[in-house]
Amino acid sequence: MKIAVASDHGGYQLKEAVKEYLKGRGIEFVDLGTYSEESVDYPIYGQTCAKAVAGGQAERGIVCCGTGIGISIAANKTKGIRCALCTDVNMAELTRRHNNANMLAMGGRITDRETALKITEAWLDTEFEGGRHQRRVSMLDEM
Ligand code: RB5
């Protein structure tokens, strides 16, 4: 599985931690920026990562900003993207099982590194349940 990662300055440190984690597991990834803690605009990075996932350059995406809110809003503007902002492992598992979330958002000023990596692990390793959830996901994709 190839993962696209992106962040603004507020999520930069968390993005770097996620990259280390992916590297450790041998999961291929592409880093779409930002590449420092200099202030940038989160909509650009949310959209860039979403386009990479929707366009098939990556299977899934992980985005981080200060809260995870702005960058997830930006990502969800792209058709076919289901970006879930998660603050705990339960949310990460449920959004995979029920929403088939193809992007994960987290907040660098909200979620500590250890929790973020547990969230990332759960989100990567949990499968979509399909069934009645597929009908609802299809409804989302048609909106
Ligand atoms: C940047 O200061 C901050 O607004 C951004 O990282 C994010 O939290 C937006 O939702």
Side-chain angles (χ1 to χ4, degrees), residues 8-11 39-40 42 64-73 107 109:
D8 74 351
H9 53 289
S39 182
V40 291
Y42 62 80
C64 305
C65 66
T67 58
I69 297 171
I71 205 157
S72 62
I73 292 172
R109 297 173 186 154

Side-chain angles (χ1 to χ4, degrees), residues 53-111:
V53 174
Q57 289 96 330
E59 264 175 69
R60 294 204 223 158
I62 300 177
V63 285
C64 305
C65 66
T67 58
I69 297 171
I71 205 157
S72 62
I73 292 172
N76 279 315
K77 298 272 180 192
T78 294
K79 196 165 177 61
I81 292 302
R82 296 174 304 280
C83 181
L85 170 57
C86 296
T87 54
D88 64 33
V89 166
N90 193 33
M91 291 173 80
E93 287 175 357
L94 284 171
T95 198
R96 286 292 309 138
R97 285 166 50 193
H98 290 191
N99 314 124
N100 198 13
N102 52 10
M103 288 184 64
L104 167 66
M106 295 184 288
R109 297 173 186 154
I110 302 292
T111 302

Side-chain angles (χ1 to χ4, degrees), residues 33-49:
T34 188
Y35 303 113
S36 77
E37 290 186 277
E38 195 179 319
S39 182
V40 291
D41 298 324
Y42 62 80
I44 290 168
Y45 295 90
Q47 184 188 51
T48 300
C49 193

Side-chain angles (χ1 to χ4, degrees), residues 102-137:
N102 52 10
M103 288 184 64
L104 167 66
M106 295 184 288
R109 297 173 186 154
I110 302 292
T111 302
D112 62 69
R113 177 195 164 99
E114 192 193 352
T115 306
L117 298 184
K118 285 184 186 155
I119 289 170
T120 301
E121 180 174 61
W123 183 78
L124 287 171
D125 294 346
T126 304
E127 295 299 322
F128 178 47
E129 280 178 11
R132 70 184 188 282
H133 300 297
Q134 180 55 62
R135 177 169 45 86
R136 294 163 185 163
V137 167

